[in-house]
Amino acid sequence: MNTYIFDNKSEDREHRRLQLVEAANDPHTIPLLEETGLRPGWHCLELGAGAGSILQWLGARVGATGLAMGVDKKTTYLQGYDFPPFRIVKGSFLEVSLKHSFDLIHGRYVLIHNQEDLAILKKIFSLLKPGGWAVLEEPDFTSTLLPDYGHDSPQARVNQAICQMFVNVGLDPGYALRLPQKLETVGFHITHAQSLMHLCPGNSPMANVMGESALVLEQEYWHTGLCSPQDIQRYVSLTRDSTHWALYHSTTSVIARKPPI
Ligand SMILES: C[S@@+](CC[C@H](N)C(=O)[O-])C[C@H]1O[C@@H](n2cnc3c(N)ncnc32)[C@H](O)[C@@H]1O
């Protein structure tokens, strides 16, 4: 099992970063969850629940007769969810024993951080009821290299460093591009797949996520040898400049169904 790249960072900063991730992505995630037909009484699992906004939303939707279970290696930011329909399980997904079957499992920006992604997908499949739904959303950082092609700029160098940082720890910066195929390999039927390019101005929710991540992961970026501390400073200042547009990454979201018996 590999180390999570955001481990060992300041608690407050990581909490703020996760809240920025939620602000940037929840408006896109919620319609996808609704597309599954989610209703009161469903049993749902939020894999890598982070700061908990989607877990909270699921709990409100399933109500008192349902279950909204959050699994995360780090549950520091999930401490308020200690009443039904919520249940928090602390630990690595592959290591925790979950004696439940679920109608819906959602995970966002989790698989890209795990070398054992295929084993995770198989466990998701086995935990779903026949006819149950997986909604999985992952980023592709290699999509930033396309508009940068042939350009040498601080932002281009930082984008290359982000990709290399994942490669250096045995992870795939273009993970999203492989996600639909992997889901079919483990037996899912895909009902919807979409990719969203995060082409945004500075000071937008996604630019703020990437600016904050660059500050937290500054050492990791420049240790790749592909960018300098000055490049990172410039990158961060552009994430705050509302007149500067940039492609920050893309997110692929897939709705997949376990075949009914
Ligand atoms: C980038 S954050 C995303 C948080 C949340 N899913 C969101 O999109 O707002 C990834 C989260 O997944 C958790 N995580 C990563 N791998 C995990 C694993 N194998 N088992 C449990 N949690 C994991 C991390 O601790 C972290 O909270």
Side-chain angles (χ1 to χ4, degrees):
M1 189 174 54
N2 56 292
T3 319
Y4 177 47
I5 53 175
F6 292 99
D7 273 351
N8 309 319
K9 305 295 176 189
S10 134
E11 296 290 348
D12 285 352
R13 272 218 112 134
E14 181 55 2
H15 194 199
R16 183 180 132 68
R17 201 189 65 83
L18 287 171
Q19 288 173 323
L20 290 172
V21 170
E22 294 177 343
N25 290 287
D26 286 1
H28 305 293
T29 294
I30 287 169
L32 297 169
L33 296 172
E34 280 172 335
E35 232 178 274
T36 65
L38 173 64
R39 55 182 177 270
W42 272 26
H43 285 197
C44 302
L45 187 151
E46 175 68 357
L47 169 59
S53 66
I54 291 296
L55 180 72
Q56 182 178 33
W57 185 88
L58 288 169
R61 291 304 291 260
V62 299
T65 57
L67 171 68
M69 182 185 284
V71 178
D72 205 298
K73 288 176 177 174
K74 183 171 184 172
T75 53
T76 322
Y77 316 121
L78 300 171
Q79 281 169 9
Y81 298 99
D82 51 2
F83 56 94
F86 299 105
R87 193 168 313 162
I88 302 300
V89 176
K90 181 176 179 188
S92 176
F93 182 61
L94 288 176
E95 286 163 16
V96 294
S97 158
L98 303 170
K99 305 213 182 318
H100 259 90
S101 50
F102 295 91
D103 300 286
L104 169 65
I105 298 180
H106 172 252
R108 188 176 65 199
Y109 298 167
V110 179
L111 293 160
I112 191 174
H113 294 292
N114 286 272
Q115 290 167 349
E116 296 152 309
D117 63 300
L118 213 51
I120 292 178
L121 289 176
K122 286 180 184 163
K123 185 163 178 176
I124 290 173
F125 188 84
S126 72
L127 286 171
L128 283 170
K129 297 176 185 173
W133 300 89
V135 178
L136 297 170
E137 306 182 86
E138 292 296 330
D140 166 28
F141 291 100
T142 65
S143 49
T144 60
L145 306 180
L146 286 169
D148 289 344
Y149 186 73
H151 293 265
D152 189 24
S153 65
Q155 224 166 9
R157 290 191 287 274
V158 170
N159 286 332
Q160 286 171 19
I162 292 172
C163 292
Q164 191 60 43
M165 173 189 70
F166 281 96
V167 173
N168 287 352
V169 290
L171 296 169
D172 177 0
Y175 186 83
L177 303 175
R178 259 67 68 187
L179 178 62
Q181 187 74 70
K182 285 181 188 241
L183 281 162
E184 285 194 346
T185 305
V186 302
F188 279 105
H189 170 65
I190 292 175
T191 63
H192 179 101
Q194 66 179 45
S195 291
L196 185 64
M197 287 268 195
H198 301 293
L199 176 63
C200 324
N203 207 25
S204 58
M206 192 55 85
N208 291 335
V209 169
M210 294 307 290
E212 184 62 20
S213 296
L215 290 172
V216 172
L217 295 172
E218 193 175 2
Q219 302 275 325
E220 285 81 353
Y221 289 5
W222 73 264
H223 280 158
T224 63
L226 295 175
C227 68
S228 65
Q230 293 74 22
D231 289 335
I232 298 169
Q233 260 178 24
R234 180 72 185 135
Y235 176 95
V236 171
S237 70
L238 289 174
T239 66
R240 296 169 178 163
D241 176 354
S242 57
T243 66
H244 180 86
W245 284 74
L247 179 59
Y248 285 101
H249 60 274
S250 63
T251 299
T252 296
S253 303
V254 184
I255 304 180
R257 193 166 196 204
K258 179 170 177 169
I261 293 173

PDB file of all heavy atoms in Angstrom, residues 84-96:
ATOM      1  N   PRO A  84     -27.328   8.128  13.517  1.00  0.00           N
ATOM      2  CA  PRO A  84     -27.955   7.567  12.327  1.00  0.00           C
ATOM      3  C   PRO A  84     -28.533   8.681  11.451  1.00  0.00           C
ATOM      4  O   PRO A  84     -28.987   9.697  11.981  1.00  0.00           O
ATOM      5  CB  PRO A  84     -29.081   6.687  12.893  1.00  0.00           C
ATOM      6  CG  PRO A  84     -28.702   6.448  14.307  1.00  0.00           C
ATOM      7  CD  PRO A  84     -27.910   7.632  14.761  1.00  0.00           C
ATOM      8  N   PRO A  85     -28.499   8.557  10.132  1.00  0.00           N
ATOM      9  CA  PRO A  85     -28.129   7.374   9.358  1.00  0.00           C
ATOM     10  C   PRO A  85     -26.637   7.258   9.053  1.00  0.00           C
ATOM     11  O   PRO A  85     -26.254   6.435   8.227  1.00  0.00           O
ATOM     12  CB  PRO A  85     -28.910   7.581   8.051  1.00  0.00           C
ATOM     13  CG  PRO A  85     -28.871   9.060   7.846  1.00  0.00           C
ATOM     14  CD  PRO A  85     -28.990   9.659   9.236  1.00  0.00           C
ATOM     15  N   PHE A  86     -25.818   8.090   9.736  1.00  0.00           N
ATOM     16  CA  PHE A  86     -24.392   8.083   9.415  1.00  0.00           C
ATOM     17  C   PHE A  86     -23.658   6.978  10.168  1.00  0.00           C
ATOM     18  O   PHE A  86     -24.022   6.635  11.300  1.00  0.00           O
ATOM     19  CB  PHE A  86     -23.757   9.439   9.764  1.00  0.00           C
ATOM     20  CG  PHE A  86     -24.373  10.580   8.998  1.00  0.00           C
ATOM     21  CD1 PHE A  86     -25.245  11.461   9.615  1.00  0.00           C
ATOM     22  CD2 PHE A  86     -24.096  10.748   7.651  1.00  0.00           C
ATOM     23  CE1 PHE A  86     -25.831  12.497   8.909  1.00  0.00           C
ATOM     24  CE2 PHE A  86     -24.685  11.785   6.931  1.00  0.00           C
ATOM     25  CZ  PHE A  86     -25.551  12.662   7.559  1.00  0.00           C
ATOM     26  N   ARG A  87     -22.625   6.464   9.548  1.00  0.00           N
ATOM     27  CA  ARG A  87     -21.686   5.589  10.241  1.00  0.00           C
ATOM     28  C   ARG A  87     -20.303   5.844   9.640  1.00  0.00           C
ATOM     29  O   ARG A  87     -20.168   5.873   8.414  1.00  0.00           O
ATOM     30  CB  ARG A  87     -22.062   4.112  10.058  1.00  0.00           C
ATOM     31  CG  ARG A  87     -21.307   3.217  11.024  1.00  0.00           C
ATOM     32  CD  ARG A  87     -21.866   1.820  11.050  1.00  0.00           C
ATOM     33  NE  ARG A  87     -23.316   1.789  11.165  1.00  0.00           N
ATOM     34  CZ  ARG A  87     -24.066   0.720  10.875  1.00  0.00           C
ATOM     35  NH1 ARG A  87     -23.485  -0.400  10.460  1.00  0.00           N
ATOM     36  NH2 ARG A  87     -25.382   0.752  11.010  1.00  0.00           N
ATOM     37  N   ILE A  88     -19.332   6.051  10.501  1.00  0.00           N
ATOM     38  CA  ILE A  88     -17.979   6.343  10.024  1.00  0.00           C
ATOM     39  C   ILE A  88     -17.082   5.144  10.307  1.00  0.00           C
ATOM     40  O   ILE A  88     -17.069   4.619  11.425  1.00  0.00           O
ATOM     41  CB  ILE A  88     -17.396   7.595  10.746  1.00  0.00           C
ATOM     42  CG1 ILE A  88     -18.295   8.814  10.531  1.00  0.00           C
ATOM     43  CG2 ILE A  88     -15.965   7.876  10.277  1.00  0.00           C
ATOM     44  CD1 ILE A  88     -18.497   9.219   9.098  1.00  0.00           C
ATOM     45  N   VAL A  89     -16.354   4.724   9.304  1.00  0.00           N
ATOM     46  CA  VAL A  89     -15.406   3.614   9.463  1.00  0.00           C
ATOM     47  C   VAL A  89     -14.019   4.154   9.126  1.00  0.00           C
ATOM     48  O   VAL A  89     -13.798   4.671   8.026  1.00  0.00           O
ATOM     49  CB  VAL A  89     -15.760   2.431   8.532  1.00  0.00           C
ATOM     50  CG1 VAL A  89     -14.719   1.333   8.632  1.00  0.00           C
ATOM     51  CG2 VAL A  89     -17.153   1.907   8.867  1.00  0.00           C
ATOM     52  N   LYS A  90     -13.127   4.043  10.098  1.00  0.00           N
ATOM     53  CA  LYS A  90     -11.765   4.542   9.883  1.00  0.00           C
ATOM     54  C   LYS A  90     -10.873   3.411   9.407  1.00  0.00           C
ATOM     55  O   LYS A  90     -10.835   2.344  10.033  1.00  0.00           O
ATOM     56  CB  LYS A  90     -11.219   5.129  11.196  1.00  0.00           C
ATOM     57  CG  LYS A  90      -9.843   5.682  11.019  1.00  0.00           C
ATOM     58  CD  LYS A  90      -9.314   6.340  12.258  1.00  0.00           C
ATOM     59  CE  LYS A  90      -7.914   6.819  11.922  1.00  0.00           C
ATOM     60  NZ  LYS A  90      -7.173   7.301  12.997  1.00  0.00           N
ATOM     61  N   GLY A  91     -10.153   3.651   8.311  1.00  0.00           N
ATOM     62  CA  GLY A  91      -9.196   2.646   7.844  1.00  0.00           C
ATOM     63  C   GLY A  91      -9.077   2.648   6.345  1.00  0.00           C
ATOM     64  O   GLY A  91      -9.832   3.319   5.636  1.00  0.00           O
ATOM     65  N   SER A  92      -8.115   1.874   5.893  1.00  0.00           N
ATOM     66  CA  SER A  92      -7.919   1.734   4.459  1.00  0.00           C
ATOM     67  C   SER A  92      -9.011   0.810   3.913  1.00  0.00           C
ATOM     68  O   SER A  92      -9.273  -0.251   4.487  1.00  0.00           O
ATOM     69  CB  SER A  92      -6.541   1.144   4.206  1.00  0.00           C
ATOM     70  OG  SER A  92      -6.395   0.927   2.831  1.00  0.00           O
ATOM     71  N   PHE A  93      -9.637   1.210   2.824  1.00  0.00           N
ATOM     72  CA  PHE A  93     -10.812   0.515   2.303  1.00  0.00           C
ATOM     73  C   PHE A  93     -10.578  -0.988   2.137  1.00  0.00           C
ATOM     74  O   PHE A  93     -11.449  -1.808   2.453  1.00  0.00           O
ATOM     75  CB  PHE A  93     -11.210   1.149   0.967  1.00  0.00           C
ATOM     76  CG  PHE A  93     -12.435   0.571   0.331  1.00  0.00           C
ATOM     77  CD1 PHE A  93     -13.660   0.632   0.972  1.00  0.00           C
ATOM     78  CD2 PHE A  93     -12.367  -0.030  -0.917  1.00  0.00           C
ATOM     79  CE1 PHE A  93     -14.809   0.113   0.380  1.00  0.00           C
ATOM     80  CE2 PHE A  93     -13.505  -0.550  -1.517  1.00  0.00           C
ATOM     81  CZ  PHE A  93     -14.725  -0.487  -0.873  1.00  0.00           C
ATOM     82  N   LEU A  94      -9.385  -1.354   1.672  1.00  0.00           N
ATOM     83  CA  LEU A  94      -9.139  -2.783   1.432  1.00  0.00           C
ATOM     84  C   LEU A  94      -8.966  -3.555   2.733  1.00  0.00           C
ATOM     85  O   LEU A  94      -9.079  -4.772   2.753  1.00  0.00           O
ATOM     86  CB  LEU A  94      -7.895  -2.970   0.549  1.00  0.00           C
ATOM     87  CG  LEU A  94      -8.076  -2.579  -0.910  1.00  0.00           C
ATOM     88  CD1 LEU A  94      -6.762  -2.719  -1.674  1.00  0.00           C
ATOM     89  CD2 LEU A  94      -9.170  -3.423  -1.571  1.00  0.00           C
ATOM     90  N   GLU A  95      -8.677  -2.843   3.807  1.00  0.00           N
ATOM     91  CA  GLU A  95      -8.413  -3.525   5.076  1.00  0.00           C
ATOM     92  C   GLU A  95      -9.615  -3.586   6.005  1.00  0.00           C
ATOM     93  O   GLU A  95      -9.657  -4.416   6.905  1.00  0.00           O
ATOM     94  CB  GLU A  95      -7.233  -2.849   5.786  1.00  0.00           C
ATOM     95  CG  GLU A  95      -5.922  -3.198   5.100  1.00  0.00           C
ATOM     96  CD  GLU A  95      -4.786  -2.263   5.484  1.00  0.00           C
ATOM     97  OE1 GLU A  95      -4.920  -1.537   6.486  1.00  0.00           O
ATOM     98  OE2 GLU A  95      -3.780  -2.269   4.746  1.00  0.00           O
ATOM     99  N   VAL A  96     -10.595  -2.710   5.821  1.00  0.00           N
ATOM    100  CA  VAL A  96     -11.733  -2.701   6.743  1.00  0.00           C
ATOM    101  C   VAL A  96     -12.749  -3.768   6.331  1.00  0.00           C
ATOM    102  O   VAL A  96     -12.950  -4.030   5.146  1.00  0.00           O
ATOM    103  CB  VAL A  96     -12.421  -1.316   6.846  1.00  0.00           C
ATOM    104  CG1 VAL A  96     -11.485  -0.310   7.482  1.00  0.00           C
ATOM    105  CG2 VAL A  96     -12.893  -0.823   5.499  1.00  0.00           C
TER     106      VAL A  96
END
